[in-house]
Amino acid sequence: MDADALIEWALESAVSESESPPGPPLLASAIRHAVFPGGARVRPQLCLAVAAACNAGSKDELMVSAGAGASLELLHCASLVHDDLPCFDGADVRRGKPSVHVAFGEPIALLAGDALIVMAFSTLARSTAGTPEILARLLPIVTAAVGAPHGIVAGQAWESEPGVETDAYHRAKTGALFIGAAEAGAASVGADPAPWRKLGEHLGDAYQVADDLRDMLLDEEALGKPAGQDAKCARPNAASDLGPRAAMAKLNGLIEAAADSVPDCEGAPALRNLVHAQASRLIPASLAHALA
Amino acid sequence: MDADALIEWALESAVSESESPPGPPLLASAIRHAVFPGGARVRPQLCLAVAAACNAGSKDELMVSAGAGASLELLHCASLVHDDLPCFDGADVRRGKPSVHVAFGEPIALLAGDALIVMAFSTLARSTAGTPEILARLLPIVTAAVGAPHGIVAGQAWESEPGVETDAYHRAKTGALFIGAAEAGAASVGADPAPWRKLGEHLGDAYQVADDLRDMLLDEEALGKPAGQDAKCARPNAASDLGPRAAMAKLNGLIEAAADSVPDCEGAPALRNLVHAQASRLIPASLAHALA
């Protein structure tokens, strides 16, 4: 199985687990709606790529890495469901279809987000069955990436604070889950996660700048979600702060820094290539060309 | 340290972890508001009591059991924060003070609930550091008690389904966390959780009937939260379905069944006494007397 197929398999296993009767059927449908079809699955891709670079060899190891990646993707999906709710962005569209609260109502959307958070941890438990010491390494990485005070939940909370610390906000809102993905990739195969933290940081920063550029310059049809949300919600946006050209240059610099940060290991050259290949998908080619 | 002090210590450790800067301060305050001062802490009490009955001996073992109990209490607090939101019960008061969304606004309340869910799992990770095989046993127990399809999130979701399966609803909404507490108590000291499931089931059922009686017969001042919520929200309620006297008799029968279900072990007599002692706190004595 290639990485794409492995990730979808791990997500499908997790979601179908939540569908066994007698469970509430609307909740099950909302969970499936939130996870499939997905976006680029960049966080689990990063997790699996780092695992591969650390020389994930056996089939068992691959399954653990896929489980860790799926866990992070489920947490990402949960954050999208909650962020789209009327008390935050009030976004009606996500990935080109109705957002979960539009399709299923607010109560079920809120609970689907909660259930996805819990599912991330049951997925971690299931995929590490038989290797408890790997679970013990992964669990703190994943909780740090998501919870308070520095994970994505804290990142979203900064938007409701009277004084926003922009660095802490961006690092928590976007960076934390990329850092978690890079570290989890290493930890999932028993490698030291510390040397991989920088890769996650740079990719998280790059992804944030790309997101800001897309939010400012693309329309809803191209985005699959409402455009201009940062301006509407008065949130910091690198593309409007720096101007689009300078933001594009910053994005390119961050991608170089990410590739350079890959620790020397057997799989390093392949991973550096992958960083560049994935980066080229962050911004539509025509837009990147226009801003070069 | 007695059980009360141990539980508060474990909760304080978890909450203060979430307050380290630079995190969003409103979120940190909302989390503290949701957890302290607490209610009767019945779920962690149950967890620690089962652990003691299974002969938790060493200080390390006690810390693991306290961490597991705190994890379940944090999940209970998260569910209260989310259930109080306007899209569910719209309850303005909880434990005699403003509910979290009244004190901090809806966005922060929603995120505080999310952060508490994640905190439950970081607490589990921290308290089992050094005993990964115990973590591997506890994590599936805790996720099953909370997530879809049969945990408390699913229980809340039944309220938004067009057709409610009452048994599945009550078992998930209240019973699941009691079952989790009983099983986690055993697993936290390396004992087999299976023989303890019945105790959690019966106590969960008893607690649900007691809750229904209190909701129907007490006022907001005595409850510390709005009264008559089941009638207002058209939810099943044992006290109105059976009548208060029959509901009280059912409650007493469930408490007997719970005490009888305690597996034979050195700590069984003490635990059976504790079940009766705790049960007498479920309903104010004057009310229990009137319904006898």
Side-chain angles (χ1 to χ4, degrees):
Chain A
M1 259 198 269
D2 67 5
D4 289 331
L6 201 56
I7 291 164
E8 297 308 313
W9 170 86
L11 290 168
E12 178 59 42
S13 306
V15 168
S16 39
E17 186 93 351
S18 76
E19 291 169 335
S20 48
L26 273 180
L27 179 67
S29 303
I31 289 171
R32 185 164 282 282
H33 184 99
V35 179
F36 301 107
R41 310 287 197 207
V42 286
R43 294 155 193 84
Q45 290 281 359
L46 173 58
C47 179
L48 278 170
V50 170
C54 292
N55 237 336
S58 70
K59 195 183 152 208
D60 284 356
E61 279 182 333
L62 260 182
M63 293 296 152
V64 176
S65 308
S71 156
L72 293 158
E73 180 69 12
L74 293 168
L75 291 161
H76 172 59
C77 292
S79 78
L80 299 182
V81 174
H82 281 181
D83 292 1
D84 283 344
L85 284 169
C87 74
F88 295 113
D89 291 5
D92 294 344
V93 180
R94 169 68 67 183
R95 292 171 178 164
K97 59 182 189 173
S99 50
V100 177
H101 68 277
V102 170
F104 296 90
E106 262 189 77
I108 289 289
L110 201 154
L111 294 168
D114 291 356
L116 285 164
I117 299 175
V118 179
M119 190 187 289
F121 297 105
S122 57
T123 300
L124 219 47
R126 210 174 41 251
S127 62
T128 56
T131 54
E133 68 292 347
I134 297 286
L135 172 62
R137 290 179 188 208
L138 283 171
L139 188 54
I141 291 172
V142 174
T143 56
V146 189
H150 304 135
I152 53 173
V153 168
Q156 181 68 19
W158 275 116
E159 295 179 11
S160 299
E161 295 282 340
V164 181
E165 299 191 20
T166 307
D167 279 357
Y169 164 57
H170 276 154
R171 181 57 45 90
K173 173 130 196 205
T174 312
L177 215 46
F178 281 86
I179 294 170
E183 291 183 340
S188 68
V189 295
D192 180 8
W196 296 93
R197 186 179 172 88
K198 276 276 162 217
L199 175 63
E201 277 183 24
H202 292 314
L203 287 179
D205 289 346
Y207 198 80
Q208 181 64 52
V209 175
D211 203 47
D212 289 356
L213 274 162
R214 290 196 306 262
D215 182 68
M216 185 184 182
L217 300 174
L218 299 185
D219 61 16
E220 177 166 324
E221 196 187 332
L223 278 175
K225 63 180 182 180
Q229 287 292 100
D230 290 337
K232 180 185 145 198
C233 302
R235 287 189 295 239
N237 178 303
S240 56
D241 291 354
L242 305 173
R245 261 171 215 281
M248 190 68 212
K250 184 176 178 184
L251 170 58
N252 290 330
L254 286 164
I255 295 299
E256 288 312 314
D260 289 348
S261 80
V262 172
D264 283 327
C265 61
E266 210 179 319
L271 182 51
R272 292 188 187 117
N273 287 339
L274 189 68
V275 166
H276 284 113
Q278 290 281 351
S280 69
R281 293 165 59 185
L282 287 177
I283 299 285
S286 56
L287 181 59
H289 190 74
L291 294 175
Chain B
M1 259 197 271
D2 66 3
D4 289 332
L6 201 57
I7 291 164
E8 297 308 312
W9 169 85
L11 290 169
E12 177 58 43
S13 306
V15 169
S16 39
E17 186 94 351
S18 76
E19 290 169 334
S20 48
L26 274 181
L27 179 67
S29 303
I31 289 171
R32 185 164 281 282
H33 184 99
V35 179
F36 302 108
R41 312 289 197 204
V42 285
R43 295 156 192 82
Q45 290 281 2
L46 174 59
C47 178
L48 277 169
V50 170
C54 292
N55 236 337
S58 70
K59 195 181 152 209
D60 284 356
E61 278 181 334
L62 262 183
M63 294 295 152
V64 176
S65 308
S71 155
L72 293 159
E73 180 69 13
L74 293 168
L75 291 162
H76 172 60
C77 293
S79 78
L80 299 182
V81 174
H82 281 181
D83 292 1
D84 284 343
L85 284 169
C87 73
F88 295 112
D89 290 5
D92 293 345
V93 180
R94 168 68 65 181
R95 291 170 179 164
K97 58 181 191 173
S99 50
V100 177
H101 67 277
V102 170
F104 295 91
E106 263 189 76
I108 288 289
L110 200 154
L111 294 168
D114 290 356
L116 285 164
I117 299 175
V118 179
M119 191 187 289
F121 297 104
S122 57
T123 300
L124 219 49
R126 209 174 43 250
S127 63
T128 57
T131 54
E133 69 291 349
I134 297 285
L135 173 62
R137 288 178 189 209
L138 284 171
L139 189 53
I141 290 173
V142 175
T143 55
V146 190
H150 305 136
I152 53 173
V153 167
Q156 181 68 18
W158 275 115
E159 295 179 12
S160 301
E161 294 283 339
V164 182
E165 299 191 21
T166 307
D167 279 356
Y169 164 56
H170 278 154
R171 183 56 45 90
K173 173 130 196 204
T174 312
L177 215 46
F178 281 86
I179 294 171
E183 292 184 339
S188 69
V189 295
D192 180 8
W196 296 93
R197 186 181 171 88
K198 275 278 163 215
L199 174 62
E201 277 183 24
H202 292 314
L203 287 178
D205 289 347
Y207 197 81
Q208 180 65 51
V209 174
D211 203 49
D212 289 356
L213 275 162
R214 291 195 306 264
D215 183 68
M216 186 185 182
L217 300 173
L218 299 185
D219 61 15
E220 176 165 327
E221 197 186 334
L223 278 174
K225 63 180 182 179
Q229 287 291 100
D230 290 337
K232 182 185 145 198
C233 302
R235 287 189 294 238
N237 178 303
S240 58
D241 291 355
L242 305 173
R245 264 171 212 281
M248 190 69 211
K250 183 174 179 185
L251 171 57
N252 290 330
L254 287 165
I255 296 298
E256 288 311 315
D260 290 347
S261 79
V262 173
D264 283 326
C265 59
E266 209 177 322
L271 182 51
R272 290 187 188 118
N273 287 339
L274 189 70
V275 166
H276 284 114
Q278 291 281 351
S280 68
R281 294 166 59 185
L282 287 176
I283 300 285
S286 57
L287 182 59
H289 190 73
L291 294 177

